Amino acid sequence: MDEKQFYQMIYNIAKNKGVKFPELVASHAVLESESGKKGIGPGGFNVFGQTVYLNSRGTKIGSMNFANYNSYDEAVAHHVKKWGKYHNGKSSPAQALASYVNSYAPKGHSNGKHSQGNGNYNYESSMSPIARRNGNSINIKS
């Protein structure tokens, strides 16, 4: 499956779950999993890198315990349950992304490759081009 197909699949799942800005969910999945090629766990359905408590069922990699899912639908549902609150109540995808980033990988926080300025990429500059390539816009200011 290429990026456009993967993006559209995740976008449609998120939209069907009532997500206000499904382009954020789809762009995040593309970014985290390289368009589904590097999903974690059985079936590779964990495309967000979602972790769970160490005593929960999961795929242990190093000191991290990653959630196992039976489908992309289940992965999106869990992602939306955990992070959807940052999308709701915002008037634009850019505002929702900023809210999400500020709680997931705030400036100065050491959250691996996701940190703003501390790692290999940051969400705002990485997710916007993914959405654009796939016919959506997050419209962040550069």
Side-chain angles (χ1 to χ4, degrees):
M1 183 177 330
D2 67 16
E3 180 183 293
K4 286 193 183 302
Q5 293 167 322
F6 180 76
Y7 178 96
Q8 194 61 52
M9 178 187 65
I10 299 297
Y11 180 97
N12 289 339
I13 292 169
K15 187 174 181 180
N16 289 337
K17 297 205 174 300
V19 173
K20 187 173 182 180
F21 302 113
E23 59 270 36
L24 295 180
V25 176
S27 296
H28 185 191
V30 166
L31 180 64
E32 289 278 357
S33 71
E34 295 181 23
S35 301
K37 293 174 181 67
K38 299 210 172 173
I40 301 168
F45 295 120
N46 186 343
V47 292
F48 300 102
Q50 187 61 56
T51 58
V52 292
Y53 294 110
L54 288 175
N55 59 351
S56 299
R57 180 187 70 126
T59 298
K60 192 164 188 306
I61 301 174
S63 63
M64 303 293 290
N65 194 32
F66 293 91
N68 290 338
Y69 301 110
N70 294 313
S71 66
Y72 291 122
D73 189 83
E74 187 180 351
V76 171
H78 185 226
H79 178 78
V80 168
K81 181 179 179 183
K82 182 166 182 142
W83 298 102
K85 62 188 171 196
Y86 300 104
H87 300 204
N88 298 332
K90 304 303 178 204
S91 62
S92 72
Q95 286 180 348
L97 177 59
S99 174
Y100 175 80
V101 168
N102 286 335
S103 41
Y104 184 72
K107 287 187 188 283
H109 182 268
S110 179
N111 193 7
K113 65 183 179 180
H114 310 301
S115 300
Q116 298 180 65
N118 288 352
N120 300 329
Y121 59 76
N122 75 50
Y123 277 98
E124 291 178 320
S125 66
S126 299
M127 287 173 60
S128 186
I130 292 169
R132 200 171 22 261
R133 283 195 306 268
N134 290 283
N136 295 116
S137 177
I138 297 176
N139 289 328
I140 61 165
K141 293 181 181 177
S142 300

